[in-house]
Amino acid sequence: QVQLVESGGGLVQPGGSLRLSCAASGSIFSINTMAWFRQAPGKERELVATISNGGSTNYADSMKGRFTISRDNANNTLYLQMNSLKSEDTAVYYCYAAVLDYGSRLLNYWGQGTQVTVSS
């Protein structure tokens, strides 16, 4: 079993910054793709950014230039640096990881979510 625990969410003013973290633990042989998703009230969950185990990144268009995804493979930790935050960035942010366990199974895991609220 694998656990993903997010942290770093909170209340920030428009134009401000936050850094989210996601720590993975448990039966992990390696982690392939990791990603951040978000879900605003009344909306579907949407992709924010992805990062491969080699460090290749992709971003949703509305996040390009403002958000930076990164990872620390040695510590199985994922990050999301969010700058120039807007009210429309308000959402619950979820961490995702595709984990290869010691039984050679590739399984998808999600964190519990962390609330980000952008408001003055």
Side-chain angles (χ1 to χ4, degrees), residues 46-65:
E46 65 172 345
L47 177 67
V48 173
T50 67
I51 184 167
S52 71
N53 57 6
S56 297
T57 60
N58 284 289
Y59 296 89
D61 287 343
S62 61
M63 287 68 154
K64 288 180 181 177

Side-chain angles (χ1 to χ4, degrees), residues 31-34 50-59 68-73 78:
I31 303 179
N32 291 358
T33 297
M34 300 187 81
T50 67
I51 184 167
S52 71
N53 57 6
S56 297
T57 60
N58 284 289
Y59 296 89
T68 302
I69 189 171
S70 61
R71 62 192 285 175
D72 177 352
N73 290 333
L78 177 70

Side-chain angles (χ1 to χ4, degrees), residues 6-11 17-22 80 82 114-116:
E6 298 111 333
S7 61
L11 174 64
S17 299
L18 278 177
R19 189 189 195 210
L20 306 182
S21 300
C22 172
L80 184 69
M82 303 185 293
T114 186
Q115 177 70 47
V116 172

Side-chain angles (χ1 to χ4, degrees), residues 96-99 106-110:
Y96 161 86
V99 177
L106 186 63
L107 300 174
N108 300 319
Y109 290 94
W110 293 88

Side-chain angles (χ1 to χ4, degrees), residues 27-43:
S27 181
I28 299 171
F29 178 76
S30 66
I31 303 179
N32 291 358
T33 297
M34 300 187 81
W36 289 98
F37 287 76
R38 70 184 186 184
Q39 188 166 17
K43 295 188 177 181

